[in-house]
Amino acid sequence: AHLWHALLATDRHYSEQDIATLRTAIPILQLARARLVTFNDHGPGHALRVKSFAAQLGHLVGLEEVEQVLLRSAALFHDVGNIVDRGQHHVISQETVTRMTAEGALPFSAQEAEVVGLLCRWHRREYDPSRSDEVEGRTIRTGLLASVLRVADAMDIDYRRSDYSERWAAVIRFF
């Protein structure tokens, strides 16, 4: 019964930030997916699944609504950097959120963009799980959000999202 409410956590109206994030991130992810050959499911489907998992996990750990909005945005943007470089995609994703916000393409404050960008960066490699930030007078548990995003991202891993370049090379050599 406790899990049922978490599953329903994604069944809600979209905020202005959610809509802007979807309209911005999805086309970038479609192009990034088209450019990737070995990682063929880092597109919109993956981002939407990660967003759903993150929202459900966020509900279970008791995130505030503002934290949920920032987490959902980061889930959609966490892989957009793949359009430029797979190895540094987490850094490029962070820079993309910050730059698009500064240019007015995303309806985030500078503080919100900083947190969303940091979550994008922290979905991979080192991060500070105990970090908190102040955003417009509210405490945001940035480290907890990053932890949730990392788990949500890992929940969507399967054979399509793993680096099988050596296996692909073996198949090509065989045939």
Side-chain angles (χ1 to χ4, degrees):
H2 182 65
L3 292 178
W4 181 248
H5 297 290
L7 294 173
L8 296 179
T10 58
D11 185 25
R12 51 153 181 71
H13 296 288
Y14 287 94
S15 70
E16 176 188 346
Q17 290 170 320
D18 288 325
I19 293 167
T21 301
L22 283 164
R23 287 185 174 160
T24 306
I26 297 301
I28 295 170
L29 290 166
Q30 287 171 324
L31 183 56
R33 187 174 119 192
R35 293 189 56 177
L36 296 170
V37 287
T38 55
F39 292 87
N40 63 2
D41 192 29
H42 276 74
H46 166 64
L48 291 168
R49 288 187 300 273
V50 171
K51 179 182 79 70
S52 179
F53 293 144
Q56 293 166 7
L57 292 169
H59 180 78
L60 287 174
V61 299
L63 296 183
E64 301 293 328
E65 179 58 30
V66 66
E67 292 174 315
Q68 281 278 12
V69 169
L70 298 173
L71 178 61
R72 288 191 306 263
S73 296
L76 289 171
F77 270 102
H78 80 279
D79 277 341
V80 298
N82 279 317
I83 197 167
V84 177
D85 180 67
R86 170 75 187 135
Q88 291 295 309
H89 79 277
H90 56 299
V91 176
I92 297 165
S93 296
Q94 177 186 25
E95 293 167 351
T96 300
V97 169
T98 304
R99 190 169 125 212
M100 292 184 87
T101 299
E103 292 174 356
L106 292 173
F108 295 117
S109 69
Q111 292 174 323
E112 291 169 329
E114 182 181 336
V115 170
V116 172
L118 195 56
L119 295 175
C120 291
R121 184 183 195 115
W122 282 358
H123 91 274
R124 185 172 183 215
R125 310 252 167 114
E126 298 83 24
Y127 76 110
D128 178 2
S130 62
R131 178 171 169 162
S132 291
D133 288 284
E134 287 293 317
V135 173
E136 297 170 6
R138 294 185 170 137
T139 299
I140 304 298
R141 296 168 290 176
T142 310
L144 176 60
L145 299 182
S147 298
V148 170
L149 180 57
R150 291 165 74 105
V151 170
D153 190 34
M155 288 172 68
D156 193 48
I157 195 156
D158 63 17
Y159 73 93
R160 295 168 300 165
R161 295 194 54 244
S162 298
D163 187 0
Y164 281 100
S165 36
E166 188 54 41
R167 289 187 184 183
W168 294 124
V171 169
I172 290 169
R173 283 192 303 271
F174 178 78
F175 287 103

